[in-house]
């Protein structure tokens, strides 16, 4: 029988972060957040030590074909751990069926301060019963599948990452870096997180509730040519009159018929779509200009900063000022 080994540490106060990987894992689900933790460790003179574990301790082949070296067999790991992370990938079903892998993840979850998943790694946690009663997220392509397969889990639509302590989940790929920065900020403060973001040349960090992609990408393919042009007009000039009567007049139809056609074709009510489009426009202005909140509100169609603030809270869960502070690039 093998001896169970402790994941090596490098000194007092070091936070040990273990990524569980498997064949078909998404390379960026591991490399992005791991590099963020490692960068924080270098800058803080300690702080984190990142290790990779797999079933059997075998190196794994990532989804892009690259081979990833592994430090230890997951069966040989003992805690305590600071952070246990399961990476995602298109081979999630294969990972879920590896009962030994799932069992060791569940075992180690009881020895970790926090437990998380990148992208479809959430399926492994859910299979182990670790997400029951929790709010989580995953890649947009798989969120309905996760919700259907595990009805005891609440899957948040669109969120980049969700923290329901001690569980943390990210949508995957670049969102893993956002989650890692948020965890670094909680552990060591905002200044270190900003230094890491600057080193990695990324935004400091996008709020977890921010949608995974823009309103334009989320919109269904619209077949009605006149309606498609209207959507383009909303994008081009979000501050114009986009009330339902005004938009119905542009399509030469009644407000009732317009609302019915719009909702059927777009998948949202006209009012909700316009609000999302204006939040999108305001976000871009906040991220790329230094205009005051009142000016941004007028240019994006909200009229007042207070109206814009309420819309931001509904759509992404943070006020405009906080979004600007977190989402703009860090100056050199």
């Amino acid at each position: 029988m093998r001896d169970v080994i402790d994941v090596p540490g490098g000194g007092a106060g070091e936070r040990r972060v273990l990524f569980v990987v498997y064949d078909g894992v998404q390379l960026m689900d591991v490399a992005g957040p791991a590099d963020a933790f490692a960068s924080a460790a270098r800058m803080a003179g300690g702080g984190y030590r990142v290790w990779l574990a797999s079933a059997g301790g075998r190196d794994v082949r990532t989804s892009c074909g690259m081979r990833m070296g592994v430090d230890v067999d997951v069966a040989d790991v003992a805690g305590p751990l600071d952070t246990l992370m399961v990476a995602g990938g298109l081979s999630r079903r294969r990972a879920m069926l590896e009962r030994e892998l799932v069992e060791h993840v569940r075992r180690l979850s009881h020895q970790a301060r926090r437990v998380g998943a990148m992208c479809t790694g959430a399926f492994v946690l859910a299979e182990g019963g670790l997400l029951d009663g929790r709010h989580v997220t995953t890649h947009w392509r798989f969120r309905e599948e996760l919700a259907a397969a595990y009805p005891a889990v609440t899957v948040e639509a669109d969120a980049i990452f969700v923290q329901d302590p001690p569980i943390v989940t990210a949508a995957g790929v670049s969102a893993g870096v956002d989650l890692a920065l948020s965890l670094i900020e909680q552990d060591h403060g905002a200044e270190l997180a900003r230094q890491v973001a600057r080193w990695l040349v990324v935004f400091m960090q996008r709020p977890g509730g921010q949608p995974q992609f823009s309103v334009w990408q989320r919109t269904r393919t619209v077949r009605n040519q006149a309606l498609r042009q209207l959507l383009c007009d909303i994008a081009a000039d979000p501050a114009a009159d986009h009330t339902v009567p005004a938009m119905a007049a542009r399509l030469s139809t009644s407000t009732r018929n317009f609302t019915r056609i719009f909702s059927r074709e777009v998948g949202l009510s006209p009012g909700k779509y316009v609000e999302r489009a204006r939040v999108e426009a305001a976000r871009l202005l906040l991220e790329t200009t230094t205009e005051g909140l009142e000016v941004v509100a007028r240019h994006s169609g909200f009229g007042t900063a207070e109206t814009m603030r309420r819309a931001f809270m509904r759509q992404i869960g943070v006020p405009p000022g906080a979004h600007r502070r977190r989402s703009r690039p860090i100056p050199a």
Side-chain angles (χ1 to χ4, degrees), residues 32-95:
D35 213 9
F37 286 123
S39 297
R42 288 194 300 271
M43 294 174 184
Y48 298 100
R49 183 87 176 269
V50 178
W51 292 84
L52 271 60
S54 70
R58 297 181 295 273
D59 292 352
V60 299
R61 183 75 69 178
T62 66
S63 59
C64 69
M66 293 179 64
R67 184 173 293 277
M68 180 183 291
V70 169
D71 300 298
V72 65
D73 184 344
V74 68
D76 291 341
V77 178
L81 300 170
D82 180 77
T83 305
L84 172 66
M85 282 286 180
V86 180
L90 294 177
S91 57
R92 69 198 180 284
R93 294 185 185 278
R94 189 190 317 161

Side-chain angles (χ1 to χ4, degrees), residues 36 40 83 100 123 154 191 219 229 255 261-262 290 308 311 321:
T83 305
E100 187 176 355
F123 283 82
T154 301
E191 182 55 35
T219 301
Q229 182 58 52
T255 57
I261 293 172
F262 192 103
T290 57
M308 181 172 68

Side-chain angles (χ1 to χ4, degrees), residues 13 22 31-32 78 101 115 130 164 170 185 187 249 309 314:
Y22 44 87
L101 180 72
V115 179
L130 300 175
D164 188 352
E185 180 177 354
D187 293 344
R309 187 193 67 80
R314 282 191 296 269

Side-chain angles (χ1 to χ4, degrees), residues 178 181 193-194 197-198 201-207 210 282-293 296 320-332:
D178 293 297
L181 288 171
R194 288 176 64 85
R198 181 177 178 181
V201 196
V202 297
F203 286 89
M204 173 55 195
Q205 77 267 3
R206 294 175 293 174
Q210 183 168 313
R283 280 174 45 199
L284 182 61
L285 289 171
L286 290 168
E287 293 165 9
T288 59
T289 76
T290 57
E291 298 285 2
L293 296 185
V296 170
H323 177 82
R324 166 172 272 172
R325 289 190 296 273
R326 290 180 175 272
S327 300
R328 293 189 67 192
I330 299 172

